[in-house]
Amino acid sequence: MSQEILPKQPTIKNPPEQFAGDVWVDPIVAPQDGDQRATFALVKFAPGARTAWHSHARGQFLRVTQGVAHFGTRDGALITAHPGDTVYVSAGEEHFHASAEGTFMEHFAMLENADDPSTTTTWLEHVTDEDLAGH
Ligand code: MN
């Protein structure tokens, strides 16, 4: 047993293979002990920036803290979320996250790792402008 202040992690620029536009992540929480799975991060999107299509093995919770966020799924459904909104994406649901045009957007992202952490998130192709419009 212990308690401690964890070392601060540097802000990371997310890779262009998985993000279009400038997106940074501040890692906050990663598993420390035993069978812990939870990860928690603050993600910052420049105006118009977006993730590629992807899914999470155990789903994901997203709490918008700044700006205006769009979350889309393959059926064309688009959720527009504002600070204070928490969005849930179920396990395996292919989706994207984006900032609205003209505004930065920040959200917290919480998820649980898969048994093999390398399969926690499955990355797919980039999002098109049509995808962003919900078609
Ligand atoms: Mn996601």
Side-chain angles (χ1 to χ4, degrees):
M1 289 185 285
S2 67
Q3 66 174 5
E4 61 190 302
I5 295 178
L6 294 171
K8 281 196 175 61
Q9 301 299 314
T11 298
I12 300 164
K13 176 92 177 288
N14 276 332
E17 294 78 13
Q18 299 162 351
F19 295 83
D22 289 345
V23 181
W24 292 266
V25 60
D26 290 335
I28 298 171
V29 166
Q32 301 293 308
D33 286 316
D35 61 357
Q36 292 176 350
R37 295 172 179 275
T39 69
F40 193 72
L42 178 60
V43 191
K44 306 177 182 188
F45 292 72
R50 62 195 82 160
T51 69
W53 287 102
H54 64 284
S55 63
H56 306 287
R58 297 182 187 273
Q60 184 176 47
F61 299 90
L62 301 156
R63 171 63 177 261
V64 178
T65 55
Q66 291 205 47
V68 179
H70 296 309
F71 300 98
T73 47
R74 293 287 192 183
D75 60 4
L78 266 188
I79 289 175
T80 298
H82 299 91
D85 292 333
T86 301
V87 173
Y88 172 61
V89 183
S90 63
E93 178 79 57
E94 294 181 1
H95 67 285
F96 64 81
H97 323 187
S99 59
E101 283 296 333
T103 178
F104 282 83
M105 184 274 283
E106 295 184 8
H107 65 57
F108 287 113
M110 199 207 98
L111 50 71
E112 292 185 70
N113 283 337
D115 292 334
D116 172 358
S118 71
T119 65
T120 297
T121 299
T122 300
W123 288 101
L124 302 160
E125 78 278 14
H126 277 291
V127 169
T128 66
D129 289 340
E130 285 191 341
D131 293 332
L132 265 187
H135 300 301

